[in-house]
Short mmCIF file of all heavy atoms in Angstrom, two decimals:
data_model
loop_
_atom_site.label_atom_id
_atom_site.label_comp_id
_atom_site.label_asym_id
_atom_site.label_seq_id
_atom_site.Cartn_x
_atom_site.Cartn_y
_atom_site.Cartn_z
N THR A 3 103.24 246.02 -134.16
CA THR A 3 102.45 246.82 -135.05
C THR A 3 101.90 245.94 -136.16
O THR A 3 102.44 244.90 -136.47
CB THR A 3 103.29 247.97 -135.66
OG1 THR A 3 102.41 248.85 -136.36
CG2 THR A 3 104.35 247.48 -136.63
N VAL A 4 100.75 246.36 -136.73
CA VAL A 4 100.20 245.69 -137.86
C VAL A 4 100.21 246.62 -139.05
O VAL A 4 99.73 247.76 -138.94
CB VAL A 4 98.72 245.24 -137.57
CG1 VAL A 4 98.15 244.61 -138.82
CG2 VAL A 4 98.71 244.25 -136.43
N ILE A 5 100.86 246.21 -140.14
CA ILE A 5 100.95 247.05 -141.31
C ILE A 5 100.10 246.40 -142.43
O ILE A 5 100.28 245.22 -142.74
CB ILE A 5 102.40 247.15 -141.76
CG1 ILE A 5 103.25 247.76 -140.69
CG2 ILE A 5 102.50 247.95 -143.08
CD1 ILE A 5 104.73 247.64 -140.94
N LYS A 6 99.15 247.14 -142.94
CA LYS A 6 98.35 246.68 -144.07
C LYS A 6 99.22 246.63 -145.28
O LYS A 6 99.94 247.62 -145.58
CB LYS A 6 97.15 247.57 -144.30
CG LYS A 6 96.14 247.55 -143.19
CD LYS A 6 95.37 246.24 -143.28
CE LYS A 6 94.27 246.11 -142.22
NZ LYS A 6 93.88 244.75 -141.97
N VAL A 7 99.20 245.55 -146.03
CA VAL A 7 100.02 245.32 -147.23
C VAL A 7 99.12 245.06 -148.44
O VAL A 7 98.32 244.13 -148.42
CB VAL A 7 101.04 244.20 -147.01
CG1 VAL A 7 101.91 244.09 -148.27
CG2 VAL A 7 101.89 244.43 -145.77
N GLY A 8 99.32 245.84 -149.48
CA GLY A 8 98.59 245.63 -150.68
C GLY A 8 99.50 245.18 -151.82
O GLY A 8 100.69 245.42 -151.83
N GLY A 9 98.94 244.39 -152.75
CA GLY A 9 99.72 243.97 -153.92
C GLY A 9 100.29 242.57 -153.80
O GLY A 9 100.96 242.11 -154.70
N MET A 10 100.07 241.89 -152.69
CA MET A 10 100.56 240.51 -152.55
C MET A 10 99.59 239.57 -153.28
O MET A 10 98.35 239.69 -153.18
CB MET A 10 100.62 240.10 -151.09
CG MET A 10 101.63 240.77 -150.28
SD MET A 10 101.80 240.06 -148.61
CE MET A 10 100.24 240.36 -147.90
N SER A 11 100.16 238.62 -154.05
CA SER A 11 99.30 237.70 -154.84
C SER A 11 99.64 236.25 -154.57
O SER A 11 98.91 235.37 -155.03
CB SER A 11 99.44 238.04 -156.34
OG SER A 11 100.76 237.90 -156.72
N CYS A 12 100.76 235.95 -153.91
CA CYS A 12 101.15 234.59 -153.73
C CYS A 12 102.06 234.43 -152.51
O CYS A 12 102.47 235.42 -151.90
CB CYS A 12 101.87 234.07 -155.02
SG CYS A 12 103.41 234.96 -155.31
N GLN A 13 102.43 233.17 -152.24
CA GLN A 13 103.30 232.91 -151.10
C GLN A 13 104.72 233.46 -151.36
O GLN A 13 105.49 233.80 -150.41
CB GLN A 13 103.39 231.45 -150.76
CG GLN A 13 102.10 230.87 -150.13
CD GLN A 13 101.78 231.58 -148.82
OE1 GLN A 13 102.63 231.88 -147.98
NE2 GLN A 13 100.50 231.89 -148.67
N GLY A 14 105.09 233.64 -152.62
CA GLY A 14 106.37 234.25 -152.93
C GLY A 14 106.44 235.66 -152.44
O GLY A 14 107.50 236.12 -151.99
N CYS A 15 105.33 236.36 -152.60
CA CYS A 15 105.23 237.76 -152.09
C CYS A 15 105.39 237.75 -150.55
O CYS A 15 106.09 238.64 -150.00
CB CYS A 15 103.89 238.37 -152.46
SG CYS A 15 103.54 238.48 -154.22
N VAL A 16 104.73 236.85 -149.92
CA VAL A 16 104.83 236.72 -148.40
C VAL A 16 106.26 236.49 -148.02
O VAL A 16 106.76 237.19 -147.11
CB VAL A 16 103.92 235.60 -147.94
CG1 VAL A 16 104.14 235.28 -146.46
CG2 VAL A 16 102.43 235.96 -148.23
N LYS A 17 106.94 235.59 -148.67
CA LYS A 17 108.30 235.26 -148.36
C LYS A 17 109.23 236.51 -148.57
O LYS A 17 110.17 236.76 -147.81
CB LYS A 17 108.83 234.09 -149.16
CG LYS A 17 108.35 232.77 -148.63
CD LYS A 17 108.98 231.63 -149.37
CE LYS A 17 108.43 230.32 -148.76
NZ LYS A 17 108.52 229.19 -149.65
N ASN A 18 108.98 237.23 -149.67
CA ASN A 18 109.73 238.38 -150.04
C ASN A 18 109.64 239.42 -148.91
O ASN A 18 110.63 239.93 -148.40
CB ASN A 18 109.23 238.97 -151.34
CG ASN A 18 110.04 240.13 -151.85
OD1 ASN A 18 110.94 240.65 -151.20
ND2 ASN A 18 109.71 240.57 -153.04
N ILE A 19 108.40 239.72 -148.44
CA ILE A 19 108.21 240.76 -147.48
C ILE A 19 108.73 240.31 -146.08
O ILE A 19 109.38 241.07 -145.38
CB ILE A 19 106.72 241.12 -147.38
CG1 ILE A 19 106.24 241.81 -148.64
CG2 ILE A 19 106.45 242.01 -146.17
CD1 ILE A 19 104.77 241.98 -148.75
N SER A 20 108.52 239.01 -145.75
CA SER A 20 109.05 238.46 -144.54
C SER A 20 110.56 238.61 -144.47
O SER A 20 111.14 239.01 -143.49
CB SER A 20 108.66 236.98 -144.40
OG SER A 20 107.30 236.79 -144.29
N GLY A 21 111.20 238.31 -145.61
CA GLY A 21 112.64 238.37 -145.69
C GLY A 21 113.15 239.78 -145.52
O GLY A 21 114.14 240.06 -144.81
N VAL A 22 112.49 240.73 -146.20
CA VAL A 22 112.89 242.13 -146.13
C VAL A 22 112.80 242.67 -144.72
O VAL A 22 113.70 243.30 -144.18
CB VAL A 22 112.00 242.99 -147.07
CG1 VAL A 22 112.18 244.47 -146.78
CG2 VAL A 22 112.35 242.72 -148.51
N LEU A 23 111.61 242.36 -144.05
CA LEU A 23 111.42 242.85 -142.66
C LEU A 23 112.35 242.15 -141.66
O LEU A 23 112.92 242.82 -140.83
CB LEU A 23 109.99 242.61 -142.29
CG LEU A 23 108.94 243.46 -143.00
CD1 LEU A 23 107.54 243.02 -142.63
CD2 LEU A 23 109.13 244.95 -142.71
N SER A 24 112.53 240.85 -141.80
CA SER A 24 113.34 240.09 -140.84
C SER A 24 114.79 240.51 -140.95
O SER A 24 115.55 240.39 -139.96
CB SER A 24 113.24 238.58 -141.11
OG SER A 24 111.93 238.16 -140.90
N ALA A 25 115.25 241.00 -142.07
CA ALA A 25 116.63 241.39 -142.25
C ALA A 25 116.95 242.74 -141.65
O ALA A 25 118.10 243.11 -141.46
CB ALA A 25 117.00 241.46 -143.72
N MET A 26 115.92 243.47 -141.28
CA MET A 26 116.11 244.81 -140.76
C MET A 26 116.57 244.81 -139.25
O MET A 26 116.05 243.93 -138.49
CB MET A 26 114.81 245.65 -140.81
CG MET A 26 114.40 245.94 -142.25
SD MET A 26 112.89 246.88 -142.39
CE MET A 26 113.48 248.50 -141.85
N ALA A 27 117.50 245.65 -138.89
CA ALA A 27 118.00 245.70 -137.52
C ALA A 27 116.85 246.11 -136.62
O ALA A 27 116.10 247.06 -136.97
CB ALA A 27 119.13 246.72 -137.43
N GLY A 28 116.69 245.43 -135.51
CA GLY A 28 115.68 245.80 -134.55
C GLY A 28 114.35 245.04 -134.71
O GLY A 28 113.49 245.16 -133.90
N VAL A 29 114.22 244.26 -135.76
CA VAL A 29 113.03 243.47 -135.97
C VAL A 29 113.21 242.11 -135.30
O VAL A 29 114.09 241.37 -135.63
CB VAL A 29 112.67 243.29 -137.49
CG1 VAL A 29 111.52 242.38 -137.67
CG2 VAL A 29 112.37 244.65 -138.10
N ALA A 30 112.28 241.79 -134.35
CA ALA A 30 112.37 240.54 -133.65
C ALA A 30 111.62 239.43 -134.41
O ALA A 30 112.10 238.31 -134.50
CB ALA A 30 111.76 240.66 -132.25
N SER A 31 110.42 239.81 -134.98
CA SER A 31 109.71 238.86 -135.75
C SER A 31 108.78 239.54 -136.75
O SER A 31 108.37 240.68 -136.53
CB SER A 31 108.88 237.92 -134.87
OG SER A 31 107.80 238.67 -134.29
N ALA A 32 108.53 238.87 -137.89
CA ALA A 32 107.64 239.44 -138.91
C ALA A 32 106.77 238.29 -139.39
O ALA A 32 107.29 237.29 -139.88
CB ALA A 32 108.41 240.05 -140.05
N GLU A 33 105.47 238.41 -139.21
CA GLU A 33 104.50 237.40 -139.62
C GLU A 33 103.65 238.02 -140.65
O GLU A 33 102.86 238.94 -140.38
CB GLU A 33 103.70 237.00 -138.38
CG GLU A 33 102.80 235.81 -138.55
CD GLU A 33 102.01 235.54 -137.27
OE1 GLU A 33 102.64 235.42 -136.19
OE2 GLU A 33 100.83 235.39 -137.39
N VAL A 34 103.76 237.55 -141.90
CA VAL A 34 103.05 238.13 -143.01
C VAL A 34 101.92 237.20 -143.43
O VAL A 34 102.15 236.01 -143.59
CB VAL A 34 104.00 238.40 -144.22
CG1 VAL A 34 103.23 239.06 -145.39
CG2 VAL A 34 105.17 239.29 -143.77
N SER A 35 100.71 237.75 -143.62
CA SER A 35 99.57 236.93 -143.98
C SER A 35 99.00 237.41 -145.32
O SER A 35 98.63 238.57 -145.50
CB SER A 35 98.45 237.06 -142.97
OG SER A 35 97.27 236.47 -143.43
N LEU A 36 99.02 236.49 -146.32
CA LEU A 36 98.44 236.78 -147.61
C LEU A 36 96.94 237.00 -147.51
O LEU A 36 96.37 237.91 -148.04
CB LEU A 36 98.76 235.64 -148.60
CG LEU A 36 98.22 235.75 -150.07
CD1 LEU A 36 98.80 236.95 -150.72
CD2 LEU A 36 98.59 234.51 -150.81
N GLU A 37 96.27 236.13 -146.76
CA GLU A 37 94.83 236.13 -146.59
C GLU A 37 94.37 237.43 -145.94
O GLU A 37 93.39 238.07 -146.38
CB GLU A 37 94.33 234.96 -145.77
CG GLU A 37 94.51 233.61 -146.42
CD GLU A 37 95.98 233.14 -146.39
OE1 GLU A 37 96.77 233.61 -145.55
OE2 GLU A 37 96.30 232.24 -147.20
N ALA A 38 95.02 237.86 -144.87
CA ALA A 38 94.64 239.09 -144.14
C ALA A 38 95.23 240.35 -144.77
O ALA A 38 94.87 241.47 -144.41
CB ALA A 38 95.09 238.98 -142.74
N ALA A 39 96.12 240.17 -145.77
CA ALA A 39 96.84 241.33 -146.43
C ALA A 39 97.47 242.26 -145.39
O ALA A 39 97.29 243.43 -145.38
CB ALA A 39 95.85 242.11 -147.30
N GLU A 40 98.24 241.60 -144.48
CA GLU A 40 98.94 242.38 -143.44
C GLU A 40 100.24 241.74 -143.01
O GLU A 40 100.42 240.55 -143.20
CB GLU A 40 98.02 242.62 -142.25
CG GLU A 40 97.68 241.34 -141.51
CD GLU A 40 96.65 241.55 -140.38
OE1 GLU A 40 95.93 242.53 -140.41
OE2 GLU A 40 96.60 240.70 -139.47
N ALA A 41 101.01 242.56 -142.33
CA ALA A 41 102.25 242.08 -141.73
C ALA A 41 102.20 242.46 -140.24
O ALA A 41 102.01 243.67 -139.90
CB ALA A 41 103.45 242.69 -142.38
N LYS A 42 102.38 241.46 -139.34
CA LYS A 42 102.44 241.73 -137.88
C LYS A 42 103.94 241.70 -137.57
O LYS A 42 104.59 240.69 -137.77
CB LYS A 42 101.69 240.68 -137.14
CG LYS A 42 100.20 240.73 -137.36
CD LYS A 42 99.50 239.67 -136.55
CE LYS A 42 97.99 239.72 -136.79
NZ LYS A 42 97.26 238.62 -136.21
N VAL A 43 104.40 242.83 -137.05
CA VAL A 43 105.86 242.95 -136.80
C VAL A 43 106.12 243.31 -135.33
O VAL A 43 105.49 244.22 -134.79
CB VAL A 43 106.48 244.04 -137.70
CG1 VAL A 43 107.99 244.09 -137.55
CG2 VAL A 43 106.10 243.83 -139.18
N ALA A 44 107.05 242.57 -134.73
CA ALA A 44 107.52 242.92 -133.37
C ALA A 44 108.87 243.53 -133.55
O ALA A 44 109.76 242.96 -134.21
CB ALA A 44 107.63 241.66 -132.52
N PHE A 45 109.05 244.76 -133.06
CA PHE A 45 110.32 245.47 -133.31
C PHE A 45 110.71 246.33 -132.13
O PHE A 45 109.89 246.61 -131.23
CB PHE A 45 110.16 246.34 -134.57
CG PHE A 45 109.21 247.51 -134.42
CD1 PHE A 45 109.64 248.77 -134.16
CD2 PHE A 45 107.81 247.27 -134.52
CE1 PHE A 45 108.75 249.83 -134.02
CE2 PHE A 45 106.91 248.30 -134.37
CZ PHE A 45 107.40 249.62 -134.12
N ASP A 46 111.99 246.68 -132.08
CA ASP A 46 112.53 247.54 -131.08
C ASP A 46 112.47 249.00 -131.56
O ASP A 46 113.19 249.33 -132.49
CB ASP A 46 113.99 247.14 -130.80
CG ASP A 46 114.69 248.04 -129.77
OD1 ASP A 46 114.05 249.04 -129.32
OD2 ASP A 46 115.82 247.76 -129.40
N PRO A 47 111.59 249.82 -130.96
CA PRO A 47 111.46 251.18 -131.45
C PRO A 47 112.67 252.06 -131.27
O PRO A 47 112.84 253.09 -131.90
CB PRO A 47 110.26 251.72 -130.62
CG PRO A 47 110.19 250.82 -129.43
CD PRO A 47 110.70 249.50 -129.83
N GLN A 48 113.65 251.56 -130.43
CA GLN A 48 114.91 252.27 -130.28
C GLN A 48 115.80 252.08 -131.52
O GLN A 48 116.65 252.85 -131.82
CB GLN A 48 115.69 251.76 -129.05
CG GLN A 48 114.88 251.84 -127.77
CD GLN A 48 114.98 253.16 -127.09
OE1 GLN A 48 115.90 253.89 -127.30
NE2 GLN A 48 114.02 253.46 -126.23
#
């Protein structure tokens, strides 16, 4: 899934969101882009 993310202003924001998503059970990968203002997440819907 691709989630549009607003309010990111720096790489610190990107790391924060990446860390939050990666720590969640069922998340295989989280790729956050400051430039595109989005997070691409691979997850187990179960």
Side-chain angles (χ1 to χ4, degrees):
T3 189
V4 176
I5 301 169
K6 290 288 179 198
V7 182
M10 292 189 295
S11 59
C12 63
Q13 288 302 317
C15 299
V16 170
K17 283 187 179 155
N18 185 353
I19 294 170
S20 296
V22 166
L23 293 173
S24 296
M26 295 179 73
V29 174
S31 68
E33 189 180 310
V34 182
S35 169
L36 179 61
E37 294 76 18
E40 66 185 22
K42 293 180 181 173
V43 186
F45 66 101
D46 178 356
Q48 306 275 336

